[in-house]
């Protein structure tokens, strides 16, 4: 099973979802990557199948994720302001989903 996200590659094997961040050389946290991460952490609740664990790594050999993409702050702020639920591109929703899964 493979899930399609623009900035994350995935593969599902024997109850493990492997997710590889691939959002440029630094995997900067911008609107697209955050939206994909929100979807990824919520997916086990909407379609768990036999998934027991999610392993996240990076396509970059040098960085997992360097930081928030500061050049996209206005776009990110606009997206976060209209966040209305679990699928929203909001870092808060990502962290909420991550916390809920712990």
């Amino acid at each position: 099973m493979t899930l399609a996200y623009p900035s994350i590659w995935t593969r599902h094997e024997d109850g493990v979802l492997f997710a590889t961040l691939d959002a440029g050389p630094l995997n900067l946290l911008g609107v697209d990557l955050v939206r994909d991460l929100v979807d990824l952490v919520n997916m086990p609740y909407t379609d768990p199948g036999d998934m027991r664990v999610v392993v996240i790594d990076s396509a970059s050999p040098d960085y997992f994720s360097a930081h928030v993409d500061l050049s996209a702050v206005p776009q990110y702020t606009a997206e976060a302001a209209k966040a209305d639920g679990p699928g929203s591109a909001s870092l808060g929703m990502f962290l909420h989903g991550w916390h809920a899964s712990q």
Side-chain angles (χ1 to χ4, degrees), residues 35-70:
R35 183 178 292 116
D36 291 348
L37 286 168
V38 168
D39 287 346
L40 182 75
V41 299
N42 286 320
M43 193 275 309
Y45 301 108
T46 59
D47 185 20
D50 72 337
M51 189 181 321
R52 295 182 309 273
V53 67
V54 177
V55 176
I56 302 174
D57 69 354
S58 173
S60 169
D62 298 319
Y63 296 97
F64 179 76
S65 178
H67 54 74
V68 171
D69 183 355
L70 296 177

Side-chain angles (χ1 to χ4, degrees), residues 11-96:
R11 74 180 196 284
H12 186 209
E13 297 176 8
D14 299 323
V16 178
L17 178 66
F18 295 93
T20 300
L21 304 182
D22 188 19
L26 301 176
N27 290 324
L28 296 177
L29 290 172
V31 173
D32 295 332
L33 181 55
V34 170
R35 183 178 292 116
D36 291 348
L37 286 168
V38 168
D39 287 346
L40 182 75
V41 299
N42 286 320
M43 193 275 309
Y45 301 108
T46 59
D47 185 20
D50 72 337
M51 189 181 321
R52 295 182 309 273
V53 67
V54 177
V55 176
I56 302 174
D57 69 354
S58 173
S60 169
D62 298 319
Y63 296 97
F64 179 76
S65 178
H67 54 74
V68 171
D69 183 355
L70 296 177
S71 69
V73 168
Q75 179 188 13
Y76 184 75
T77 301
E79 284 289 321
K82 64 183 182 184
D84 63 352
S88 299
S90 161
L91 190 56
M93 291 309 259
F94 166 64
L95 296 174
H96 173 76

